[in-house]
Amino acid sequence: EYQLKEAWTWELQALCRGRYVAGSRIAGGEFESVRKQILSSHRPAESTSEDVASMRHKMRQAHLRDDALKHGPGGMVDIEFVAQLGLLLNGQKHPQCLDHTSTPRQLQALLEIGWINRPQYEVLSGALSSLTRARHLRLLCGERNPVDVEETMAGEVCAQVLGITPPG
C-alpha cells in the first residue's frame, strides 16, 4: 500500500533496480509481481521528471568530490537515472520494459519501445559499459585517486533526457 500510494519518487527509482535474491521461489515471484504492479501504476510525467531531476541534482551536490566515473556528468548514476525515469514513465503502457533490473537491459527495453532513440541508446550503453569497465579496473588495481572524466556525449544525452543542466 505504501509503495502504491505514498512512496516518494526516489523510492520508486530504487524499486526499478530491486530484485529477488534469496528465499523461496514463491516469495520471489510474489515480490516480482508486486514490483511490476507498483512500477506499472500511472504517475504524472511532469512531476515524475521533475522529481528525478531534483534528486539527481541533490545527489550530484552531495558527491561533488566523489568518483567522477560514477557521479560525474554522464557518469554511471546519470545513466541509471535515465533508465529509471524511462521505466517510471513507461511502465504502465509498456510493462515489458519492467522485466529487467539491470541498467543495460533497461536501456535496451527503452530503445525497443521508442522512449530513447538509437543514437541515444548507443551513446548511453557504450558509455555505461566503458565507465563500468574503467571503474572495475580502477577498483581491482587499488587506485584511490580521483579520475577526471572527459566530457562525452553521455553527459549531453543524460542532461537532455533528465532535464538537468548539461555538463561544462
Side-chain angles (χ1 to χ4, degrees):
E1 282 295 306
Y2 172 80
Q3 288 287 328
L4 282 169
K5 297 179 180 175
E6 299 177 43
W8 293 18
T9 302
W10 64 267
E11 293 172 296
L12 299 174
Q13 287 179 255
L15 195 56
C16 290
R17 298 283 309 265
R19 57 188 148 258
Y20 157 78
V21 294
S24 73
R25 290 180 189 217
I26 293 170
E30 290 174 5
F31 170 79
E32 189 56 29
S33 176
V34 169
R35 177 186 168 274
K36 286 182 177 179
Q37 177 190 6
I38 292 164
L39 294 177
S40 63
S41 297
H42 173 74
R43 55 192 44 87
E46 187 174 332
S47 62
T48 301
S49 297
E50 289 171 359
D51 288 349
V52 170
S54 174
M55 178 54 63
R56 184 60 193 115
H57 176 74
K58 288 176 187 174
M59 280 186 67
R60 184 164 289 144
Q61 296 307 306
H63 295 279
L64 285 174
R65 301 196 194 293
D66 290 352
D67 183 0
L69 298 173
K70 184 173 181 179
H71 294 285
M76 296 168 71
V77 174
D78 271 5
I79 297 169
E80 290 168 357
F81 270 53
V82 167
Q84 293 161 7
L85 177 61
L87 267 58
L88 293 175
L89 295 180
N90 293 285
Q92 183 178 32
K93 188 173 179 184
H94 301 283
Q96 71 273 22
C97 70
L98 303 173
D99 290 342
H100 309 291
T101 58
S102 73
T103 304
R105 303 267 325 261
Q106 291 171 341
L107 291 172
Q108 177 69 42
L110 294 169
L111 169 67
E112 290 169 2
I113 66 166
W115 191 74
I116 57 175
N117 61 39
R118 173 68 59 186
Q120 290 171 322
Y121 170 78
E122 296 294 336
V123 166
L124 296 176
S125 65
L128 183 61
S129 177
S130 296
L131 291 166
T132 302
R133 193 173 325 111
R135 190 160 187 269
H136 288 170
L137 181 60
R138 209 178 75 197
L139 291 170
L140 286 169
C141 294
E143 179 66 41
R144 300 259 190 259
N145 296 325
V147 173
D148 289 329
V149 179
E150 293 180 28
E151 282 190 30
T152 65
M153 288 292 296
E156 294 175 25
V157 171
C158 291
Q160 177 188 24
V161 174
L162 295 174
I164 58 177
T165 305

